[in-house]
Amino acid sequence: MSKEQFHFETKLIHNQHSVDKETGAVSTPIHHTSTFHQFDLDEFGKYDYARSGNPTRDVLEETIAELEGGVRGLAFSSGMAAISTAFMLLSKGDHVLIAEDVYGGTFRLVSQVLQRFGVDYDFVDTTNLEEVKQKLRPNTKVIYIETPSNPVLKITDIKAVCEIAKENNCYTFVDNTFLTPSLQKPLELGADVVLHSATKFISGHSDVVAGLAVAKDKELGDQLAFLQNTFGAVLGVQDCWLVLRGLKTLHVRMKESQQTAFELAKYLEEIPEVKKVYYPGLDNHEGREIHFSQSSGAGAVLSFVLEDVDAVREFVNAVEIPVFAVSLGAVESILSYPTKMSHAAMPEEERYKRGIEDGLLRLSAGLENTEDLIKDFNQAFQHIRKATKKKETNLAVDRGAL
Ligand SMILES: *Cc1c(COP(=O)(O)O)cnc(C)c1O
């Protein structure tokens, strides 16, 4: 049986790099070196200077390429470093079509940095293919998507977008951070470059900031490698090792967290204080059918809407298990408040337009016991109820009704 035939979870453990070829080490050796001795004046070895290449980083890069089904992977010092470097493929005069609810850092890069270099852009609702077609220009070089999107988990049809891109001779970049290749493989659906914040599910333990890019073909891969070396935002070897260590359990973590997310989503739907739940695994989620045609699971991130910011405050103060933080995709459940965190820089009107109401919370399910989480949420909702009652009583007192 060849290793190519292995299932994804087996490949995470047994791949071309599961054993170090020189020493037999089953954990990838960390090569702490900035340069490599050349044994011959005329013939340099495979490695010369560590920004250009390092055996530890190679293992991570080749592993992620294999897992995403691409030809070349590249590791960067953060997700934003990977994304920024990929955008360096563009030149002055090019145009980018970008999903309107893209990650905040990507929004900032395109709207505040790339524009200074003469790269034009339009934000578009990529769930609407007609709008994508309408906003394409002859000089559009990249369509950039994220699906499910953050934080209301809107679904974009990856294959359809890739087809539109191909007809117009431009690339499709997909930020696959939310699902990872464990659940979704954009390159197989026609995308040209897959990008990751490996800070999230891929490493999975809230202990490293890292980014990955994978190219579908050799030419793009070589161009990205050239830019990686030129720009220089490479991932250090210790961090490469941490990402590799996290990767081995990616599949079991995703599976477990996804199950918890599903059960929490169903639970939250029944809570009177919750106005809406966003999760692709729910029957009523918009785009659910498209989602399951291109992904093997709904993922571990969900969002839900409470009455207002007061209810959010009560809830956040009362929950005990999830950490309240920016980020997602970790062993611990992470609760975040997009209005004041990821989308704080966005004007209120733009925020509301994207469904990011003042009562919206995002939860990334971790690996805790689901019943414990539900119990914790239950006591937090009790707090909201008590606070609401108190507010009503106070109002009644003010009115002189009591
Ligand atoms: C976190 C995140 C990024 C940015 O990655 P960093 O590692 O923080 O630089 C990009 N895209 C998505 C979807 C993210 O969640």
Side-chain angles (χ1 to χ4, degrees):
M1 187 173 176
S2 95
K3 285 189 177 175
E4 277 99 75
Q5 292 171 314
F6 286 163
H7 285 90
F8 186 80
E9 56 268 45
T10 310
K11 274 190 195 164
L12 287 173
I13 323 285
H14 300 283
N15 51 54
Q16 53 176 321
H17 291 298
S18 42
V19 172
D20 179 54
K21 290 185 183 68
E22 286 197 6
T23 62
V26 294
S27 163
T28 304
I30 300 177
H31 291 274
H32 254 303
T33 185
S34 59
T35 191
F36 297 82
H37 175 68
Q38 304 306 322
F39 292 91
D40 189 286
L41 174 70
D42 297 310
E43 244 176 80
F44 279 16
K46 182 176 175 190
Y47 300 102
D48 48 37
Y49 184 64
R51 170 163 33 78
S52 317
N54 173 293
T56 309
R57 204 174 82 220
D58 274 1
V59 172
L60 173 59
E61 294 181 335
E62 286 167 21
T63 303
I64 190 64
E66 185 177 338
L67 296 174
E68 282 284 7
V71 302
R72 184 147 192 186
L74 299 149
F76 297 87
S77 54
S78 70
M80 280 320 301
I83 293 166
S84 304
T85 304
F87 271 115
M88 293 293 122
L89 287 165
L90 297 168
S91 304
K92 187 176 169 184
D94 288 343
H95 173 255
V96 192
L97 210 49
I98 187 158
E100 62 182 8
D101 46 2
V102 76
Y103 177 74
T106 312
F107 185 93
R108 187 168 52 211
L109 169 73
V110 171
S111 60
Q112 293 184 34
V113 181
L114 283 186
Q115 204 193 22
R116 288 199 284 109
F117 294 87
V119 175
D120 214 352
Y121 64 90
D122 271 302
F123 287 102
V124 59
D125 175 3
T126 52
T127 65
N128 182 344
L129 297 172
E130 284 313 308
E131 208 184 315
V132 173
K133 283 184 202 160
Q134 274 165 19
K135 288 207 171 159
L136 269 173
R137 296 192 202 159
N139 60 337
T140 306
K141 187 89 179 280
V142 169
I143 305 181
Y144 189 101
I145 59 174
E146 255 176 63
T147 179
S149 71
N150 180 28
V152 296
L153 306 153
K154 280 164 71 170
I155 307 302
T156 292
D157 187 332
I158 301 176
K159 216 181 205 167
V161 167
C162 293
E163 276 164 18
I164 295 171
K166 275 200 184 80
E167 278 166 23
N168 290 275
N169 235 342
C170 70
Y171 295 130
T172 308
F173 291 2
V174 182
D175 182 331
N176 203 28
T177 300
F178 269 41
L179 291 184
T180 81
S182 169
L183 299 174
Q184 180 170 277
K185 292 192 183 151
L187 297 181
E188 289 178 359
L189 300 163
D192 301 286
V193 176
V194 166
L195 296 153
H196 280 287
S197 169
T199 313
K200 316 291 170 52
F201 290 103
I202 286 198
S203 59
H205 293 69
S206 303
D207 53 11
V208 62
V209 173
L212 297 166
V214 183
K216 185 196 191 87
D217 64 38
K218 186 176 178 312
E219 197 193 329
L220 256 180
D222 290 348
Q223 283 173 4
L224 279 174
F226 169 83
L227 288 168
Q228 181 198 39
N229 188 36
T230 303
F231 218 52
V234 295
L235 189 63
V237 287
Q238 296 269 7
D239 289 347
C240 286
W241 188 89
L242 281 169
V243 177
L244 281 165
R245 146 86 87 114
L247 256 180
K248 294 184 192 190
T249 55
L250 174 66
H251 195 75
V252 281
R253 285 187 287 105
M254 286 307 280
K255 206 163 128 186
E256 190 68 22
S257 292
Q258 172 173 267
Q259 184 61 30
T260 299
F262 179 55
E263 282 170 35
L264 283 173
K266 280 192 302 183
Y267 157 80
L268 288 165
E269 270 197 314
E270 303 300 320
I271 301 292
E273 282 76 16
V274 174
K275 292 189 347 194
K276 187 160 175 53
V277 182
Y278 297 98
Y279 183 62
L282 293 175
D283 288 340
N284 59 2
H285 191 80
E286 212 179 313
R288 179 192 154 95
E289 222 164 280
I290 293 169
H291 179 82
F292 281 97
S293 73
Q294 60 193 13
S295 323
S296 59
V301 179
L302 61 97
S303 291
F304 56 101
V305 182
L306 302 181
E307 185 61 34
D308 51 21
V309 64
D310 291 334
V312 165
R313 188 170 294 113
E314 290 296 332
F315 187 82
V316 168
N317 287 338
V319 282
E320 287 170 9
I321 295 178
V323 295
F324 180 56
V326 174
S327 200
L328 58 108
V331 290
E332 56 278 331
S333 290
I334 300 179
L335 188 64
S336 66
Y337 185 45
T339 295
K340 283 190 192 291
M341 292 175 167
S342 52
H343 293 72
M346 194 175 273
E348 199 174 80
E349 196 184 292
E350 291 289 314
R351 196 158 51 72
Y352 290 161
K353 220 164 65 188
R354 288 165 173 77
I356 308 164
E357 307 170 49
D358 296 341
L360 185 96
L361 280 164
R362 188 188 72 197
L363 182 85
S364 162
L367 297 180
E368 301 92 346
N369 178 287
T370 311
E371 279 174 35
D372 290 346
L373 283 166
I374 288 179
K375 256 192 209 159
D376 187 25
F377 278 28
N378 261 333
Q379 63 84 20
F381 284 120
Q382 287 297 346
H383 269 264
I384 297 185
R385 274 163 220 151
K386 272 190 217 145
T388 312
K389 224 179 217 161
K390 209 163 133 194
K391 213 156 83 179
E392 281 166 3
T393 313
N394 287 346
L395 282 174
V397 169
D398 286 350
R399 284 200 313 266
L402 286 179

Coordinates of all heavy atoms in Angstrom, one line a residue, residues 77-81 83 103 105-106 144 146 150 175-178 196-200 208-211 327-328 362, ligand 1:
S77 N 6.1 33.7 8.8 CA 6.1 34.1 10.3 C 4.7 34.4 10.8 O 4.6 34.6 12.0 CB 7.0 35.2 10.5 OG 6.7 36.3 9.6
S78 N 3.7 34.5 10.0 CA 2.3 34.7 10.4 C 1.4 34.5 9.3 O 1.9 34.4 8.1 CB 2.1 36.1 11.0 OG 2.1 37.1 9.9
G79 N 0.1 34.3 9.6 CA -0.8 34.2 8.5 C -0.8 35.5 7.6 O -0.8 35.4 6.3
M80 N -0.7 36.6 8.2 CA -0.6 37.9 7.4 C 0.6 37.9 6.6 O 0.6 38.5 5.5 CB -0.7 39.1 8.3 CG -2.2 39.4 8.8 SD -3.5 39.3 7.5 CE -2.9 40.4 6.2
A81 N 1.7 37.4 7.0 CA 3.0 37.3 6.2 C 2.7 36.5 5.0 O 3.2 36.8 3.9 CB 4.1 36.8 7.0
I83 N -0.2 35.8 3.6 CA -1.2 36.5 2.7 C -0.5 37.7 2.0 O -0.7 37.9 0.8 CB -2.4 37.0 3.5 CG1 -3.2 35.7 4.0 CG2 -3.3 37.9 2.8 CD1 -4.2 36.0 5.1
Y103 N -11.0 38.5 6.3 CA -10.3 38.7 7.6 C -9.8 40.2 7.7 O -9.4 40.7 6.7 CB -9.1 37.8 7.7 CG -8.3 38.0 8.9 CD1 -8.7 37.5 10.2 CD2 -7.1 38.6 8.8 CE1 -8.0 37.8 11.3 CE2 -6.3 38.8 10.0 CZ -6.8 38.4 11.2 OH -6.0 38.6 12.3
G105 N -7.3 41.8 8.8 CA -5.9 42.1 8.4 C -5.8 42.1 6.9 O -5.0 42.9 6.4
T106 N -6.5 41.2 6.2 CA -6.4 41.2 4.8 C -7.1 42.4 4.2 O -6.7 43.0 3.2 CB -7.1 39.9 4.3 OG1 -6.6 38.8 5.0 CG2 -6.8 39.7 2.8
Y144 N -10.2 36.8 -4.4 CA -9.8 36.3 -3.1 C -11.0 36.0 -2.2 O -11.9 36.9 -2.0 CB -9.0 37.5 -2.4 CG -8.3 37.0 -1.1 CD1 -6.9 36.7 -1.1 CD2 -9.0 36.9 0.1 CE1 -6.3 36.3 0.0 CE2 -8.3 36.5 1.2 CZ -7.0 36.2 1.2 OH -6.3 35.8 2.3
E146 N -12.9 33.6 1.2 CA -12.8 32.9 2.5 C -14.2 32.2 2.7 O -15.2 32.9 2.6 CB -12.7 33.9 3.6 CG -11.3 34.1 4.3 CD -11.3 35.2 5.3 OE1 -12.0 35.1 6.3 OE2 -10.6 36.1 5.1
N150 N -16.0 35.0 8.1 CA -15.9 35.4 9.5 C -16.6 36.7 9.7 O -16.4 37.7 9.0 CB -14.4 35.6 9.8 CG -14.1 36.0 11.3 OD1 -14.9 35.7 12.1 ND2 -13.1 36.7 11.5
D175 N -8.4 31.6 1.5 CA -8.0 31.5 2.9 C -8.8 30.4 3.5 O -10.0 30.4 3.7 CB -8.3 32.9 3.6 CG -7.8 32.9 5.0 OD1 -7.8 31.8 5.7 OD2 -7.5 34.0 5.5
N176 N -8.0 29.3 3.8 CA -8.7 28.1 4.3 C -8.5 27.9 5.8 O -8.6 26.7 6.3 CB -8.0 26.9 3.5 CG -8.9 25.6 3.5 OD1 -10.2 25.7 3.5 ND2 -8.3 24.5 3.4
T177 N -8.3 29.0 6.5 CA -8.0 28.9 7.9 C -9.1 28.2 8.8 O -8.8 27.4 9.7 CB -7.7 30.3 8.5 OG1 -6.6 30.9 7.8 CG2 -7.4 30.3 10.0
F178 N -10.3 28.5 8.4 CA -11.4 28.0 9.3 C -11.6 26.5 9.2 O -12.1 25.9 10.1 CB -12.7 28.8 8.9 CG -13.0 30.0 9.7 CD1 -12.0 30.9 10.0 CD2 -14.3 30.3 10.1 CE1 -12.2 32.0 10.7 CE2 -14.5 31.5 10.9 CZ -13.5 32.3 11.2
H196 N -3.2 30.1 4.8 CA -3.6 29.7 6.2 C -3.0 30.6 7.2 O -1.8 31.0 7.1 CB -3.0 28.3 6.6 CG -3.8 27.2 6.0 ND1 -5.0 26.9 6.5 CD2 -3.5 26.4 5.0 CE1 -5.5 25.8 5.8 NE2 -4.6 25.5 4.9
S197 N -3.8 31.0 8.2 CA -3.2 31.3 9.5 C -3.0 30.0 10.2 O -4.0 29.5 10.8 CB -4.1 32.3 10.2 OG -3.6 32.4 11.6
A198 N -1.8 29.5 10.2 CA -1.5 28.3 10.9 C -1.5 28.5 12.5 O -1.4 27.5 13.2 CB -0.2 27.7 10.5
T199 N -1.6 29.7 12.9 CA -1.8 30.1 14.3 C -3.1 29.4 14.8 O -3.1 29.2 16.0 CB -2.0 31.6 14.3 OG1 -1.1 32.3 13.5 CG2 -2.0 32.2 15.7
K200 N -4.0 29.1 14.0 CA -5.3 28.7 14.4 C -5.4 27.1 14.5 O -4.5 26.6 15.1 CB -6.4 29.3 13.5 CG -6.2 30.8 13.2 CD -6.4 31.7 14.4 CE -6.0 33.1 14.1 NZ -6.5 33.8 12.9
V208 N 1.6 29.5 19.0 CA 2.5 29.9 18.0 C 1.8 30.8 17.0 O 0.6 30.6 16.8 CB 3.2 28.7 17.3 CG1 2.1 27.8 16.6 CG2 4.2 29.1 16.2
V209 N 2.4 31.7 16.4 CA 1.9 32.5 15.3 C 2.6 32.1 14.0 O 3.8 32.1 14.0 CB 2.1 34.0 15.6 CG1 1.7 34.9 14.3 CG2 1.3 34.5 16.8
A210 N 1.9 31.7 13.0 CA 2.5 31.1 11.8 C 1.5 31.2 10.6 O 0.3 31.3 10.8 CB 2.9 29.7 12.1
G211 N 2.1 31.2 9.4 CA 1.3 31.2 8.2 C 1.8 30.2 7.2 O 3.0 29.9 7.2
S327 N -8.7 35.4 18.4 CA -8.2 34.1 17.9 C -9.2 33.0 17.9 O -10.4 33.2 18.4 CB -6.9 33.6 18.6 OG -6.3 32.7 17.8
L328 N -8.9 31.9 17.4 CA -9.8 30.7 17.3 C -8.9 29.5 17.0 O -7.7 29.6 16.8 CB -10.8 31.0 16.1 CG -10.2 31.2 14.7 CD1 -10.4 30.0 13.8 CD2 -10.8 32.4 14.1
R362 N -18.7 35.3 18.8 CA -18.2 34.1 18.0 C -17.6 33.1 19.0 O -16.9 33.5 19.9 CB -17.2 34.6 17.0 CG -16.7 33.5 16.0 CD -15.6 33.9 15.2 NE -14.4 34.0 16.0 CZ -13.3 34.6 15.6 NH1 -13.2 35.3 14.5 NH2 -12.2 34.7 16.4
Ligands
LIG1 C1 -6.0 34.9 12.1 C2 -6.4 34.9 10.7 C3 -5.5 35.4 9.7 C4 -4.2 36.1 10.1 O1 -3.3 35.2 10.6 P1 -2.2 35.6 11.6 O2 -1.5 34.3 11.9 O3 -2.9 36.2 12.8 O4 -1.3 36.6 10.9 C5 -5.9 35.3 8.4 N1 -7.1 34.8 8.0 C6 -8.0 34.3 8.9 C7 -9.3 33.7 8.5 C8 -7.6 34.3 10.3 O5 -8.5 33.8 11.2

